[in-house]
């Protein structure tokens, strides 16, 4: 830094063109984002996508909440950094091990640098070179002391000896960025999940069209009698491997990886839904469209960050203690939740098939399943959506934390002390 130059510290010493440029950029981005959301809302209204329109409104409320949190952090940043706590408390539950390098270590490093410089070159006056390097050492140490003093004065101006700031201003700025990255990743994960769900349901359109054909009507003649085990639905779910609950769960666990939503399951559930809710009428009812609308309704819940999820964020930040490897164990949670929910859904379909087989050895027409709330955990089908929401949010937290650390601290940060653990977390996420 050149002598006599001082960095401007307030708007009094900031060029007006620089201030106007920054304001123009932020205002333009905000207006463009608001206009894009407005156009998207109008497009959804024209397409009569009421559920997706509600999801966009929920997204707008999440953005408003994020902006309010950012405003609070910006306004209270100075006051929070003035809160003082004992220095001993500041050394409890640290996310990284505290490594303090003394001035002696720095001098030893400069001595090694000096040895490497003198070993590779020949100078006319070695003593003059040594004096020059020692002068640089003292200058560097003096600059470090001055920077430390300035940093301490900025972060803890009201803390007496033996006390430190609760959270420094720099720490609050980093927290601000993490909240922003987390919100963005939650939205990205939700949108990607929505897109993948719709992509998987594309082949269901062909199955839905097949129900309108004559071949389907003949194959599912309501006057046709068959043994339950002879139907395609019965052959898929009723076997000797489903006689006990343990065998049933093991079979359903592996089935979710291969053809989890079979054509026969779709057709049977469609028939059961129409029979239960439409009294067997409206054979032209588009069940696939109904599933898409249900997905839109679920997306409205999944895209949001509920107060419970924000509380989970606080808990996760609390247990991020060096040596606990809490985030490693956390990375397994979404995987276990998804596998458990997938197995449970397969078990529900299989139990409906077993129920038909136990009640009627001979059936007429298409097997008539009877979905009940009692088949789900606690008799609440909504609990499945809650678990999937939690798994999705936890995954978003993992990826957001990795990106945040990578941007602010680099890959060699103490947060990534163990490369194998970091790689495992990212792969699982």
């Amino acid at each position: 830094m050149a002598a006599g130059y001082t960095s401007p510290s307030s708007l009094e010493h900031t060029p007006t063109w620089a201030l106007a440029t920054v304001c123009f950029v932020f205002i333009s981005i905000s207006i463009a984002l608001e206009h894009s959301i407005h156009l998207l809302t109008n497009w959804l209204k024209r397409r009569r996508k009421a559920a997706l329109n509600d999801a966009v409104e929920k997204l707008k409320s999440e953005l408003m909440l994020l902006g309010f949190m950012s405003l609070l952090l910006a306004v209270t940043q100075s006051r929070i950094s003035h809160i003082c706590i004992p220095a001993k408390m500041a050394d409890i539950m640290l996310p990284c091990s505290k490594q303090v390098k003394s001035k002696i270590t720095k001098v030893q490093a400069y001595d090694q640098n000096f040895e490497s410089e003198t070993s590779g070159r020949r100078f006319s006056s070695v003593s003059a070179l040594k004096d020059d390097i020692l002068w640089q050492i003292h200058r560097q140490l003096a600059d470090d002391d001055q920077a430390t003093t300035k940093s301490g004065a900025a972060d803890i101006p009201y803390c007496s000896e033996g006390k430190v700031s609760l959270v420094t201003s720099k720490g609050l700025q980093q927290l601000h960025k993490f909240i922003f990255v987390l919100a963005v990743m939650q939205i990205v994960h939700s949108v990607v999940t929505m897109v993948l769900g719709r992509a998987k349901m594309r082949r269901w359109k062909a199955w839905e069209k097949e129900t309108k054909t004559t071949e389907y009507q003949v194959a599912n003649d309501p006057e046709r009698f068959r043994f339950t085990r002879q139907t395609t639905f019965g052959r898929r779910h009723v076997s000797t491997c489903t006689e006990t609950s343990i065998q049933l769960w093991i079979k359903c666990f592996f089935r979710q990886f291969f053809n989890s939503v079979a054509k026969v399951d779709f057709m049977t559930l469609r028939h059961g839904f129409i029979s239960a809710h439409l009294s067997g009428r409206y054979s032209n009812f588009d069940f696939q469209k109904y599933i898409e609308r249900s997905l839109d309704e679920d997306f409205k819940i999944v895209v949001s960050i509920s107060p419970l999820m924000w509380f989970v964020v606080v808990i996760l930040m609390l247990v991020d203690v060096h040596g606990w490897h809490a985030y490693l164990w956390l990375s397994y949670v979404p995987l276990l939740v998804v596998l458990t929910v997938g197995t449970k859904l397969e078990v529900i379909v299989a139990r409906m098939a077993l129920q038909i087989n136990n009640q009627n050895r001979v059936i007429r027409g298409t097997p008539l399943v009877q979905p009940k709330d009692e088949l789900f955990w606690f008799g609440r089908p909504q609990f499945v959506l809650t678990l999937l929401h939690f798994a999705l949010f936890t995954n978003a937290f993992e990826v957001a934390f990795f990106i945040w650390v990578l941007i602010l601290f680099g890959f060699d940060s103490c947060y990534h002390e163990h490369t194998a653990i970091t790689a495992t977390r990212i792969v699982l996420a």
Side-chain angles (χ1 to χ4, degrees):
M1 185 179 292
Y5 175 79
T6 58
S7 179
S9 57
S10 67
L11 295 181
E12 295 176 331
H13 305 285
T14 302
T16 56
W17 64 265
L19 179 62
T21 301
V22 172
C23 290
F24 176 78
V25 171
F26 276 94
I27 292 174
S28 300
I29 294 176
S30 300
I31 293 177
L33 178 61
E34 193 275 337
H35 187 64
S36 300
I37 294 177
H38 181 70
L39 292 177
L40 178 60
T41 302
N42 292 335
W43 182 80
L44 292 174
K45 288 181 179 179
R46 290 195 303 268
R47 297 291 298 271
R48 297 181 180 179
K49 301 286 187 179
L52 288 180
N53 188 32
D54 293 340
V56 174
E57 293 296 329
K58 179 68 70 173
L59 178 60
K60 289 170 62 177
S61 65
E62 294 296 332
L63 293 175
M64 185 183 69
L65 178 61
L66 178 63
F68 185 71
M69 292 174 62
S70 301
L71 179 62
L72 282 179
L73 282 174
V75 172
T76 62
Q77 175 177 309
S78 177
R79 294 182 179 275
I80 294 176
S81 63
H82 292 167
I83 300 176
C84 301
I85 60 174
K88 293 182 179 180
M89 293 183 62
D91 294 334
I92 300 176
M93 300 179 67
L94 294 176
C96 296
S97 59
K98 208 167 187 179
Q99 299 177 353
V100 181
K101 292 185 178 181
S102 62
K103 293 182 180 181
I104 297 177
T105 306
K106 293 183 180 181
V107 173
Q108 291 176 352
Y110 281 113
D111 284 339
Q112 293 177 359
N113 185 29
F114 170 75
E115 294 294 337
S116 62
E117 290 288 341
T118 55
S119 61
R121 300 177 182 178
R122 293 185 178 180
F123 297 91
S124 59
S125 178
V126 178
S127 59
L129 176 62
K130 185 175 182 179
D131 292 338
D132 181 63
I133 293 180
L134 288 177
W135 178 82
Q136 294 180 5
I137 293 174
H138 290 294
R139 178 65 180 271
Q140 180 66 32
L141 293 178
D143 292 342
D144 291 344
D145 291 339
Q146 185 178 7
T148 302
T149 303
K150 290 181 178 180
S151 176
D155 289 334
I156 49 173
Y158 296 108
C159 294
S160 59
E161 185 177 358
K163 293 186 177 183
V164 295
S165 177
L166 177 64
V167 181
T168 63
S169 299
K170 185 177 181 181
L172 290 174
Q173 294 174 3
Q174 294 170 348
L175 175 62
H176 190 180
K177 295 176 181 178
F178 173 72
I179 294 176
F180 175 78
V181 175
L182 176 61
V184 171
M185 291 309 303
Q186 167 66 9
I187 296 174
V188 171
H189 269 67
S190 301
V191 173
V192 170
T193 303
M194 181 72 173
V195 172
L196 292 178
R198 284 187 171 275
K200 186 171 184 177
M201 288 192 298
R202 282 182 179 177
R203 61 175 179 173
W204 299 1
K205 291 183 178 181
W207 298 346
E208 186 67 36
K209 291 180 180 179
E210 186 178 335
T211 61
K212 312 299 188 299
T213 61
T214 306
E215 292 78 4
Y216 176 81
Q217 302 296 335
V218 173
N220 296 272
D221 185 3
E223 301 301 328
R224 179 185 180 187
F225 287 90
R226 291 175 295 174
F227 287 103
T228 304
R229 287 180 175 269
Q230 292 179 347
T231 62
T232 308
F233 187 67
R235 290 196 303 267
R236 175 175 168 82
H237 296 286
V238 180
S239 64
T240 57
C241 298
T242 59
E243 294 179 354
T244 64
S245 296
I246 296 178
Q247 292 176 333
L248 178 62
W249 274 83
I250 293 176
K251 178 182 178 180
C252 293
F253 174 79
F254 291 102
R255 172 168 287 173
Q256 65 178 318
F257 301 106
F258 309 99
N259 196 20
S260 59
V261 182
K263 177 181 177 180
V264 61
D265 293 341
F266 177 85
M267 296 295 190
T268 305
L269 291 175
R270 176 185 181 275
H271 177 67
F273 178 86
I274 294 177
S275 300
H277 297 279
L278 302 176
S279 301
R281 300 169 297 172
Y282 305 105
S283 59
N284 293 328
F285 176 77
D286 197 332
F287 184 65
Q288 192 266 345
K289 281 288 186 181
Y290 171 79
I291 296 296
E292 282 191 356
R293 290 194 296 268
S294 299
L295 178 63
D296 295 342
E297 292 286 346
D298 295 340
F299 178 71
K300 179 176 61 176
I301 300 175
V302 171
V303 74
S304 63
I305 304 179
S306 62
L308 178 61
M309 295 305 172
W310 283 116
F311 181 73
V312 170
V313 172
V314 176
I315 298 298
L316 295 179
M317 297 179 71
L318 176 66
V319 299
D320 183 25
V321 181
H322 182 264
W324 289 13
H325 304 302
Y327 285 179
L328 174 63
W329 304 114
L330 173 68
S331 59
Y332 289 97
V333 173
L335 178 63
L336 295 176
V337 169
V338 170
L339 293 179
T340 304
V341 170
T343 305
K344 179 61 176 178
L345 295 178
E346 291 287 345
V347 168
I348 291 174
V349 178
R351 288 194 184 280
M352 289 190 292
L354 293 173
Q355 184 179 12
I356 296 176
N357 184 62
N358 294 333
Q359 292 177 353
N360 302 303
R361 296 291 180 176
V362 179
I363 62 173
R364 187 175 66 175
T366 305
L368 182 60
V369 295
Q370 297 178 352
K372 299 179 181 178
D373 291 349
E374 290 76 11
L375 296 173
F376 294 85
W377 287 305
F378 312 111
R380 298 180 57 189
Q382 193 72 10
F383 184 64
V384 173
L385 181 61
T386 302
L387 290 177
L388 293 178
H389 187 194
F390 174 77
L392 180 66
F393 180 77
T394 307
N395 258 344
F397 180 89
E398 280 281 352
V399 178
F401 187 82
F402 174 77
I403 295 176
W404 175 70
V405 172
L406 191 64
I407 294 176
L408 293 185
F409 308 103
F411 188 79
D412 296 331
S413 169
C414 63
Y415 287 103
H416 299 158
E417 185 177 359
H418 303 283
T419 306
I421 293 179
T422 303
T424 302
R425 287 169 48 195
I426 298 304
V427 170
L428 290 177

